[in-house]
């Protein structure tokens, strides 16, 4: 197997042009250096040096030397990155559902650092179904998902409710939630249980509910501004010209959020502590 030591021997011999000096440079004696060179030549299937005239690179050795130098440089860079990762502390991989407003997502991501945890945060925005799969597969440590959802063995914090607003086209036809217009929703497969609860709540008072699927809230807002839909959002900053806003209270349509993690992982205890920080942050934000 080709190793870093083989490459070090090759480069040292090429630059020192002397077995003793090269051995001293790589920190070994001359016999193991010669043995390492023979092993490298056998692995590559070429002769790297002409020993009849001292220590002189063959044509094949001259061709391969730049590649060996680049490989050593890449390995050195890999070690440096690994050292920085280790020195930087634990890396926390956090997933956030797209329905979570940007300011709230930022507050949640900042919570562990503000609490003094030596974490570097990576944040992924993805649908609830994807987040659950990624947490279960170990690709994420924690996720803020829409509730309800089937957890499949994942642990979860308390459900936190956030108020929402109904965005409708300005004018009389937008004064009720239905108003003859469909409700813009994200695809059901992104969060099936939460989607069904939302639609069932809309229909709970005998209302006829029509929906139109949009890719995100920006697309939904565009339809509202065009007079073609209404949108329910937890984002207090989402607005546009020609769009009216009122609290979603008839019926109440809160955004239900929950923090999930995998209790089966070796670091589950630390993750559970961090999860509690996120839950506390969600509750403080919901109370403001």
């Amino acid at each position: 197997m080709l190793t870093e030591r083989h490459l070090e021997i090759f480069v040292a011999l090429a630059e020192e042009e002397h077995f003793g000096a090269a051995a001293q440079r790589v920190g070994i004696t001359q016999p193991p250096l010669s043995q390492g060179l023979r092993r490298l030549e056998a692995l590559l299937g070429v002769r790297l040096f002409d020993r009849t005239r001292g220590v002189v690179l063959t044509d094949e050795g001259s061709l391969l030397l730049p590649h060996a130098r680049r490989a050593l440089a890449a390995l050195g860079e890999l070690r440096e990155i690994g050292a920085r990762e280790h020195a930087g502390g634990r890396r926390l991989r956090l997933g956030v559902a797209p329905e979570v407003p940007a300011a709230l997502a930022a507050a949640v991501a900042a919570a562990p650092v503000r609490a003094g945890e030596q974490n570097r945060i990576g944040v992924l925005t993805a649908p609830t179904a994807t987040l659950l799969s990624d947490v279960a597969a170990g690709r994420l440590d924690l996720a803020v998902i829409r509730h309800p959802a089937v957890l499949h063995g994942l642990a979860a914090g308390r459900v936190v409710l956030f108020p929402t607003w109904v965005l409708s086209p300005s004018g009389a036809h937008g004064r009720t939630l239905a108003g003859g217009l469909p409700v813009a929703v994200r695809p059901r497969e992104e969060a099936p249980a939460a989607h069904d609860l939302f639609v069932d709540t809309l229909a709970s008072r005998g209302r006829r509910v029509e929906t139109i699927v949009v890719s995100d809230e920006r697309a939904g807002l565009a339809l509202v501004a065009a007079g073609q839909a209404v949108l329910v959002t937890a984002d207090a900053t989402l607005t546009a010209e020609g769009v009216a806003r009122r609290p979603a209270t008839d019926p109440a349509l809160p955004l239900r959020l929950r923090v999930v993690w995998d209790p089966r992982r070796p670091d589950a205890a630390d993750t559970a502590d961090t999860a509690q920080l996120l839950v506390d942050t969600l509750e403080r934000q919901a109370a403001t």
Side-chain angles (χ1 to χ4, degrees):
M1 181 178 65
L2 183 64
T3 67
E4 183 178 7
R5 176 49 60 92
H6 290 137
L7 298 177
E8 290 174 341
I9 289 171
F10 177 27
V11 173
L13 271 172
E15 293 177 353
E16 299 293 342
E17 298 182 338
H18 187 276
F19 274 86
Q24 185 175 9
R25 174 169 157 177
V26 299
I28 59 177
T29 59
Q30 189 168 328
L33 182 132
S34 299
Q35 183 180 13
L37 176 61
R38 288 193 297 271
R39 177 60 177 162
L40 176 59
E41 289 178 327
L43 287 169
L44 298 176
V46 297
R47 194 162 58 94
L48 299 173
F49 294 95
D50 184 351
R51 277 80 147 186
T52 62
R53 296 182 292 125
V55 184
V56 180
L57 281 168
T58 62
D59 291 342
E60 294 84 355
S62 297
L63 180 65
L64 292 174
L65 181 60
H67 297 281
R69 285 173 171 151
R70 284 196 295 271
L72 284 175
L75 288 170
E77 182 179 0
L78 182 64
R79 279 195 299 271
E80 289 178 7
I81 293 172
R84 288 197 300 269
E85 289 284 311
H86 179 74
R90 176 185 173 213
R91 182 174 181 83
L92 184 68
R93 301 164 299 173
L94 173 65
V96 181
E99 295 83 0
V100 178
L104 177 58
V108 169
V113 177
R114 290 174 177 169
E117 290 190 7
Q118 298 300 311
N119 290 330
R120 290 170 298 106
I121 308 295
V123 181
L124 170 70
T125 300
T128 289
T130 301
L131 296 177
L132 289 169
S133 176
D134 285 350
V135 171
R139 291 185 291 269
L140 290 173
D141 300 303
L142 293 158
V144 180
I145 64 164
R146 288 181 66 189
H147 173 82
V150 180
L151 300 182
H152 295 298
L154 298 181
R158 295 183 298 277
V159 179
V160 184
L161 275 58
F162 287 83
T164 58
W165 290 265
V166 177
L167 305 186
S168 58
S170 298
H173 65 285
R175 288 174 185 163
T176 63
L177 181 57
L181 295 174
V183 180
V185 296
R186 296 178 66 89
R188 180 182 181 275
E189 59 267 21
E190 293 188 356
H195 176 280
D196 291 348
L197 176 61
F198 176 81
V199 173
D200 290 346
T201 303
L202 286 177
S204 62
R205 301 187 183 182
R207 306 170 192 258
R208 183 172 179 268
V209 180
E210 292 186 5
T211 60
I212 182 171
V213 175
V214 293
S215 60
D216 53 37
E217 289 192 341
R218 292 177 59 185
L221 179 64
L223 290 183
V224 176
Q228 298 178 17
V230 297
L231 174 69
V232 178
T233 178
D235 190 343
T237 67
L238 193 66
T239 189
E241 184 178 355
V243 173
R245 169 190 294 269
R246 68 174 176 83
T249 56
D250 184 26
L253 297 164
L255 174 64
R256 296 171 171 86
L257 299 179
R258 204 171 193 186
V259 179
V260 297
W261 68 98
D262 191 345
R264 297 159 295 195
R265 292 181 55 187
D267 58 350
D270 290 339
T271 302
D273 291 341
T274 303
Q276 186 58 53
L277 285 173
L278 304 192
V279 173
D280 292 344
T281 300
L282 288 174
E283 291 181 334
R284 283 195 299 270
Q285 293 290 318
T288 58

